[in-house]
Amino acid sequence: MISRGLLSDQVYEVILASILDGTRAPGTRVVESEIARQLGISQAPVREAVKRLVHAGLVESVPRHGSYVTEISPEEFAVARTMRASIEREAARIAAEEATESNLEQLRAVVSRMQKAIDADDRAAFRALDVEFHRSVIALTGRAVLARLWDTLEPMLVSQRAIGDPGYLGDRSRVVSWHSDLIQSLADGDPYAAADAFAEHASGALDHPST
């Protein structure tokens, strides 16, 4: 028999995937009873999963109104994206000087899995791997302050579709190519060129074919 804790973990992953693949857009209500009915389970594990999502910043609980996928104003989002670019610029600068070949191979493995997710048309997996890629670059710097700042921003960036945008209408393989180019910028060892490349990517300049 599946334990409640494990079932809650599974429900968490189901809801998270629906946020990652764009099924649940920012501002969409998360109805526990509806999810429980769809999954054929009681509301208890759903409630526990939603609490975790609230704690992670992906869902917002509004007293007497329910729970909603986190949504922020365009002005706040612009600040968040600018901060992301700043964090990734500094992380890339450090990583270009300190990344080992093992670090680079780990990043290449993530990009390879991104291509497989695209081939399988698994948008949730693709976005999760996109997040993993950028989180991994932050982590390999070994700078705790960068990791803490990223942890604060990541839920907002994920819920607002600012990483691995599911609305991207071009060739998703280009996204994989962009990430391969980012790895190459680190491998080249020029900290300022790498910083510029990551900042441009984080700013969203490459998100859509028209930009």
Side-chain angles (χ1 to χ4, degrees), residues 13-205:
E13 293 299 330
V14 168
I15 302 174
L16 175 60
S18 70
I19 295 174
L20 291 173
D21 68 14
T23 302
R24 296 182 190 276
T28 300
R29 190 175 180 188
V30 180
V31 184
E32 296 174 6
S33 59
E34 180 181 296
I35 295 171
R37 184 172 60 255
Q38 291 173 343
L39 297 178
I41 58 177
S42 70
Q43 279 189 234
V46 179
R47 188 176 304 113
E48 292 171 9
V50 171
K51 286 181 179 178
R52 284 182 58 194
L53 289 161
V54 170
H55 182 71
L58 291 167
V59 170
E60 181 181 10
S61 180
V62 182
R64 298 184 297 280
H65 287 84
S67 300
Y68 300 82
V69 177
T70 300
E71 182 177 34
I72 64 173
S73 70
E75 293 78 14
E76 289 178 306
F77 177 64
V79 173
R81 198 153 208 173
T82 298
M83 293 305 299
R84 175 194 173 186
S86 296
I87 292 169
E88 293 211 57
R89 175 184 290 278
E90 182 62 13
R93 185 189 67 76
I94 296 169
E97 296 181 314
E98 301 184 4
T100 66
E101 184 57 34
S102 176
N103 293 146
L104 297 177
E105 282 302 315
Q106 290 174 358
L107 294 175
R108 293 185 185 109
V110 174
V111 172
S112 177
R113 289 158 58 203
M114 288 175 68
Q115 182 61 59
K116 291 179 180 177
I118 291 172
D119 294 340
D121 196 26
D122 188 340
R123 295 190 176 192
F126 170 77
R127 294 194 71 212
L129 288 165
D130 199 344
V131 174
E132 180 181 338
F133 176 92
H134 293 281
R135 187 191 307 124
S136 296
V137 174
I138 301 294
L140 72 82
T141 69
R143 283 9 180 223
V145 65
L146 291 177
R148 287 196 294 269
L149 289 170
W150 180 263
D151 286 345
T152 298
L153 279 179
E154 183 182 293
M156 187 183 303
L157 296 170
V158 169
S159 66
Q160 304 305 301
R161 306 180 185 183
I163 304 179
D165 181 3
Y168 177 72
L169 301 176
D171 180 359
R172 287 182 178 273
S173 292
R174 289 182 63 194
V175 180
V176 172
S177 178
W178 293 337
H179 285 78
S180 294
D181 290 344
L182 292 177
I183 296 172
Q184 188 58 52
S185 74
L186 298 179
D188 289 342
D190 183 332
Y192 299 103
D196 287 344
F198 271 80
E200 180 183 22
H201 181 84
S203 72

